[in-house]
Amino acid sequence: MDFEQLARIEDELTRIQKTYEIFDEDTRLSASPAARVEFLTTVRYIERYLRPGARLLDVGAGAGAYSLYFARRGYRVSALELAQANLRAFRAKLTPQDAIELIEGNAVDLGRWPDASFDGVLLLGPLYHLHSEADRQRCIAEARRVCKPGGALFFAFISNDMVHLTEFCYRPDYFTKGSYDKETFRLEDFPFVFHTVEGCRAMLRKGGVKILHEVAADGASELLADKINALPPEDYAQYLRYHAYICEKPEFLGMSNHLLFVGEN
Ligand SMILES: C[S@@+](CC[C@H](N)C(=O)[O-])C[C@H]1O[C@@H](n2cnc3c(N)ncnc32)[C@H](O)[C@@H]1O
């Protein structure tokens, strides 16, 4: 499977499946100190709202990075994932001590769980795969339904406005040859679906989510990866503190490959 073959697949769920035969989700958040910034930032916000013992649903759980982290710290974790490649990688990491309920399924239908089952729901992926606004709203509505009133909701997006700079770093002809509208700078939604900060806000407000935090989850970490990965531990720790200091500043928000929105149900 290559990108050209992937682009020809019309059925969305099949395309999501095949996407993860190309992208190695298993190591995405752990491959290097730079890659770790998104994970550490997201964990910090989740831990701010949910304590060990809390019931957590990880929707679009990928290879299980968040599910495993929280289950091993005393949270009661259920996880749902669509892509076989990611389910396989997730299952391969499970030990007999990991009491995680792992379900194969689609984020637009969480019908196996009753209303108000969870203290918190993670939706860190599906909203940047689903092309139709109606499906994204179904996904948000389902996450809200299974979350308790007043519970915590966590949403991830990929920032339309940052991806241009990231792509430019990989290919010098990007600004003339890249796949985006040359007037509006709207990216072609392939292989992911991209959103502006304002677009994320509007989507979540339409879904009735009360937004508590808008966060630049990884900031410029991918662009600065060589420098970040060369840092001695003390400097890396201070870089993480700097990132924590800027990550909610509105002037930095769109300049992040990944965005994290935290909401109250
Ligand atoms: C980039 S990965 C992120 C995985 C993990 N949540 C994380 O943040 O590291 C996006 C995940 O969402 C999953 N996904 C996308 N659309 C989905 C859907 N409709 N239902 C369930 N999972 C979905 C993908 O298969 C993929 O594993």
Side-chain angles (χ1 to χ4, degrees), residues 13 16 20 25 28-29 38 58-63 65-66 80-83 86 105-108 124-126 128-130 192:
L13 297 187
I16 295 170
Y20 290 95
E25 183 57 26
R28 185 178 70 87
L29 295 168
E38 177 188 347
D58 187 1
V59 183
Y66 292 98
L80 179 127
E81 170 56 43
L82 182 77
N86 294 347
N106 187 340
V108 301
L124 307 176
Y128 59 78
H129 278 281
L130 294 169
F192 303 107

Side-chain angles (χ1 to χ4, degrees), residues 8 15 30 87 93 133 182 186 193 200 204 211 225 240 242 251:
R8 285 198 292 274
R15 195 170 345 103
S30 59
L87 283 163
K93 284 185 278 189
E133 171 64 14
K182 302 295 182 295
R186 182 82 191 81
V193 178
C200 302
L204 295 180
I211 297 171
L240 290 177
Y242 167 71
E251 60 271 32

Side-chain angles (χ1 to χ4, degrees), residues 5 65 95-96 105 114 122-123 137 146 181 187 189 193 199 230 243 255:
Q5 292 168 318
T95 68
L122 313 184
L123 208 48
Q137 286 299 334
V146 299
D181 184 308
L187 288 160
D189 282 327
V193 178
H243 179 66
M255 297 297 279

